[in-house]
Amino acid sequence: MNPQAAAGNLELLPAAEHPDLLPDPVRAALPAGAWVAAIDPDLADTQALVEATGAPLDASANCVLVAGRRDGEERVAACVVLADTRADVNGAVRRALGVRKASFLPVERAVAESGMEFGGITPVGLPASWRLLVDTRVARADWVLIGSGLRRSKLVVRGADVAALPGAEVVDLHLPAPTTAP
């Protein structure tokens, strides 16, 4: 698959040549060969973007931020899953963090500490103190369409590059597909 296949009808540009479409932390951590596309900020939500651009849902990835506590210590993680699944926050993520309960990070805090805009948070350039949990399906993807850190653009990167980001841990994070009775 080529990067355009993950982007639908979005116009891809070499990300390194378009720093105006990326916040500082993302620019500093950008994987080689990444692409960026300008979008209407009203389409930052994955479902809206997929519907408007024809980008495949199973080639789009979402990054959610979660936190939990153990022995008085807070544990924060960014979790990256394909958009056609959900992160198993109460199972796989909670176990990976070693906490009894994991919750989504409040929006205000996620934005302030990541240096990114809500609706555009990406695993690229997150604080080094946060764990980065990448679902196995993302790691195996040829290319994924993900947030850029801003609501007005998206990145297209290789799944292997997401899995190779500093501190990334590849684990099964997605909820299992529902089973159907015979």
Side-chain angles (χ1 to χ4, degrees):
M1 175 196 292
N2 65 45
Q4 191 65 56
N9 64 16
L10 291 172
E11 178 186 356
L12 293 180
L13 306 166
E17 296 174 20
H18 296 275
D20 55 308
L21 294 174
L22 305 168
D24 291 340
V26 175
R27 275 197 308 271
L30 199 62
W35 298 88
V36 68
I39 64 167
D40 177 340
D42 291 336
L43 298 177
D45 176 70
T46 302
Q47 191 62 43
L49 186 71
V50 164
E51 290 171 8
T53 66
L57 191 61
D58 64 354
S60 300
N62 291 322
C63 181
V64 296
L65 304 178
V66 299
R69 289 196 164 285
R70 174 110 186 216
D71 299 328
E73 172 194 344
E74 183 180 52
R75 300 174 183 193
V76 177
C79 304
V80 187
V81 295
L82 291 180
D84 66 348
T85 61
R86 289 185 14 222
D88 183 8
V89 174
N90 293 315
V93 174
R94 179 186 57 76
R95 285 189 299 275
L97 289 176
V99 297
R100 288 192 176 165
K101 180 181 178 192
S103 304
F104 293 104
L105 212 57
V107 172
E108 301 80 21
R109 185 170 166 210
V111 168
E113 292 182 22
S114 70
M116 300 178 197
E117 296 175 355
F118 182 73
I121 293 177
T122 182
V124 179
L126 287 172
S129 61
W130 292 356
R131 289 183 61 190
L132 175 55
L133 305 176
V134 178
D135 185 61
T136 54
R137 293 181 64 221
V138 172
R140 289 192 308 255
D142 288 332
W143 293 90
V144 291
L145 178 69
I146 60 173
S148 69
L150 301 174
R151 290 184 59 85
R152 62 187 178 88
S153 61
K154 290 286 183 176
L155 288 174
V156 175
V157 298
R158 289 177 187 87
D161 288 340
V162 175
L165 288 169
E169 303 167 47
V170 177
V171 293
D172 282 327
L173 290 179
H174 61 278
L175 284 167
T179 56
T180 55

